[in-house]
Amino acid sequence: MLFEKEIRKLGFGLMRLPKKDNVIDIEQVKEMTDRFMEAGFTYFDTAWAYEGSEEAVRQALMERYPRESFQLATKNAAWIQCKTREDAIAQFETSLAKTGAGYFDCYLLHNLGEHRTRVFDDFKLWDFVKEKKAEGKIRHYGFSFHSTPEELDQILTAHPDAEFVQLQINYADWENPAIQSRGVYEVARKHGKPVIIMEPLKGGLLANPPAAVMEIFNAADPSISAASWGIRFAADLEGILVVLSGMSDLAQMEDNLSYMKDFTGFTKEQKGVVEKARTVLSGIPLIPCTTCNYCAKVCPKNIGISGTFTASNIYTQFNNLDAAKHQEGWLVGGHGQKQAVQCIKCGKCEEVCPQHIKIRDELEKAAALFGQQKED
Ligand code: SF4
Ligand code: SF4
């Protein structure tokens, strides 16, 4: 057990707070915080990188509740704008100053995986968090992660002192080759680490799943939201410390509380309902990309092929263009790759694709879908 006593399994994710005239609606955040605390939940998750969130924590939580009555987590994103170890450490000091927390119950190295992992090693931030723990400024440290099970295994082997790990887990991504929720969960369990779950609703997409999935949920229980199936699926897994839900208004808070307040686990039938929903979702015809990235090794233009296909598949499954574009931006541009529209149609990628995908055609469709413009 990470904390002295077990905590309730729903965490308030503070990444997508409600806004009014483009600024965080602090009065609503206060109300949401009050409802959350009244219902007996205590875990709050913010980050240096979530704009305005750490200040909101200070106003809604820190200045209104005794410090020992809740747990606060924040994160260090050393791969953003940091040239030196001091730059990275400054993020910790900023978080302390903005939240006014005095100490963090959980401090996370934010979003390890791929090129980002090395930054934390280069800046010796693992030593830093250990020192801060000894000083009492951090109670527990761990990391959040977005990459493959193999890489997670390497990190946990290299840093066995990590006390917990935060992973993207949801029923839609359980077997998704681009996310591998099941794979990373099993690695964390193998290493005996408590798991904090993020994105249990896949960035909100599972709150509004395709109609065929909704029919399955409604047949099981028309009175309960689609979101509840996603959150409870995550909370039902063994070894879970807390499931983070990025609640953006009071209504979402009330919905989450309604089914998590007394949640003690899924019945066999309820597990079957989610299994059915996953089967229906996976039955929607998608680009069969496994994100092996062999194509990336031969592409002369560094096109973000697998990232583009993951984003296209999100559009096909959820009919949500904004969410698909957001994914495309992160998986392609955010990883230093070029957009689909820059493909020169040389065909080299298709020679190595084990899935025999017509990559050029699919990229052309994606470029049109996302409204991309060719560079000069
Ligand atoms: S066809 Fe396009 S995506 Fe494929 S290797 Fe050539 S430039 Fe890259
Ligand atoms: S080689 Fe094929 S399956 Fe592998 S990432 Fe590229 S498109 Fe996807």
Side-chain angles (χ1 to χ4, degrees):
M1 197 160 56
L2 196 67
F3 302 122
E4 275 165 26
K5 55 180 186 170
E6 207 164 317
I7 61 165
R8 306 200 68 186
K9 282 190 181 167
L10 179 68
F12 188 174
L14 300 150
M15 188 166 83
R16 306 180 187 97
L17 290 172
K19 289 192 170 172
K20 219 184 198 174
D21 301 327
N22 231 10
V23 290
I24 290 178
D25 177 0
I26 198 68
E27 291 313 313
Q28 191 172 174
V29 178
K30 284 181 184 170
E31 231 178 302
M32 291 166 77
T33 301
D34 293 346
R35 289 292 300 117
F36 189 70
M37 293 289 282
E38 268 163 38
F41 295 94
T42 53
Y43 190 92
F44 293 78
D45 172 86
T46 182
W48 172 87
Y50 302 166
E51 214 186 322
S53 173
E54 290 185 324
E55 292 92 335
V57 164
R58 192 187 67 248
Q59 294 176 64
L61 183 67
M62 214 58 62
E63 293 172 355
R64 302 170 66 243
Y65 287 90
R67 180 64 187 88
E68 291 293 320
S69 63
F70 56 86
Q71 298 83 34
L72 179 65
T74 195
K75 314 186 188 77
N76 187 302
W79 43 274
I80 301 178
Q81 297 162 9
C82 292
K83 293 204 167 56
T84 63
R85 183 171 197 257
E86 288 64 40
D87 292 343
I89 288 174
Q91 286 191 12
F92 174 83
E93 300 299 344
T94 302
S95 294
L96 266 188
K98 282 189 176 171
T99 58
Y103 65 90
F104 298 115
D105 298 273
C106 290
Y107 195 68
L108 292 87
L109 304 182
H110 195 167
N111 195 0
L112 269 69
E114 303 158 338
H115 63 282
R116 301 175 301 280
T117 305
R118 244 195 67 198
V119 180
F120 296 96
D121 289 319
D122 288 352
F123 292 157
K124 297 195 170 26
L125 290 189
W126 288 96
D127 293 338
F128 173 74
V129 289
K130 231 174 274 175
E131 284 160 25
K132 289 292 151 187
K133 181 168 170 156
E135 284 172 28
K137 298 277 185 202
I138 291 173
R139 296 249 164 119
H140 304 283
Y141 63 85
F143 62 97
S144 61
F145 177 82
H146 285 276
S147 189
T148 61
E150 293 74 22
E151 199 182 345
L152 180 60
D153 196 33
Q154 282 166 14
I155 295 173
L156 287 172
T157 304
H159 299 288
D161 51 315
E163 294 173 86
F164 60 88
V165 55
Q166 184 162 312
L167 301 171
Q168 174 171 341
I169 292 179
N170 58 64
Y171 70 82
D173 288 329
W174 194 240
E175 303 290 353
N176 175 354
I179 308 292
Q180 304 192 59
S181 284
R182 183 176 57 78
V184 290
Y185 168 71
E186 286 174 356
V187 168
R189 294 290 290 154
K190 185 184 88 178
H191 284 265
K193 302 297 174 193
V195 176
I196 297 172
I197 292 186
M198 58 182 158
E199 306 290 2
L201 299 178
K202 204 171 163 58
L205 286 172
L206 298 178
N208 292 297
V213 170
M214 208 57 231
E215 273 170 32
I216 293 168
F217 291 153
N218 282 338
D221 185 347
S223 69
I224 198 155
S225 67
S228 86
W229 291 100
I231 304 261
R232 290 180 302 157
F233 165 80
D236 188 53
L237 293 167
E238 272 179 38
I240 297 307
L241 183 70
V242 72
V243 178
L244 301 175
S245 178
M247 295 171 260
S248 326
D249 58 37
L250 202 50
Q252 286 177 10
M253 172 65 76
E254 295 295 356
D255 183 58
N256 278 208
L257 296 178
S258 68
Y259 48 80
M260 285 304 290
K261 228 160 90 171
D262 302 314
F263 181 66
T264 50
F266 264 162
T267 61
K268 201 170 151 221
E269 287 71 30
Q270 288 169 326
K271 281 185 195 186
V273 170
V274 178
E275 192 55 54
K276 243 184 179 172
R278 182 171 37 242
T279 308
V280 165
L281 262 184
S282 62
I284 296 173
L286 302 174
I287 304 167
C289 175
T290 61
T291 66
C292 66
N293 285 326
Y294 295 151
C295 53
K297 294 191 175 75
V298 298
C299 174
K301 299 300 281 182
N302 188 26
I303 305 293
I305 301 169
S306 65
T308 302
F309 292 167
T310 300
S312 298
N313 285 343
I314 284 178
Y315 179 73
T316 308
Q317 278 186 307
F318 297 99
N319 197 25
N320 185 328
L321 189 56
D322 285 347
K325 274 187 174 172
H326 181 77
Q327 273 299 307
E328 193 271 342
W330 161 244
L331 293 173
V332 177
H335 283 68
Q337 293 181 305
K338 297 261 187 241
Q339 288 189 320
V341 75
Q342 309 305 338
C343 168
I344 55 169
K345 300 195 188 302
C346 68
K348 289 199 167 84
C349 51
E350 292 181 19
E351 289 168 16
V352 299
C353 176
Q355 306 304 319
H356 309 294
I357 297 168
K358 291 190 168 149
I359 295 177
R360 287 170 286 188
D361 292 353
E362 294 294 353
L363 288 176
E364 200 172 316
K365 283 189 233 164
L369 173 70
F370 298 134
Q372 296 172 353
Q373 302 294 325
K374 211 162 172 83
E375 284 169 7
D376 292 332

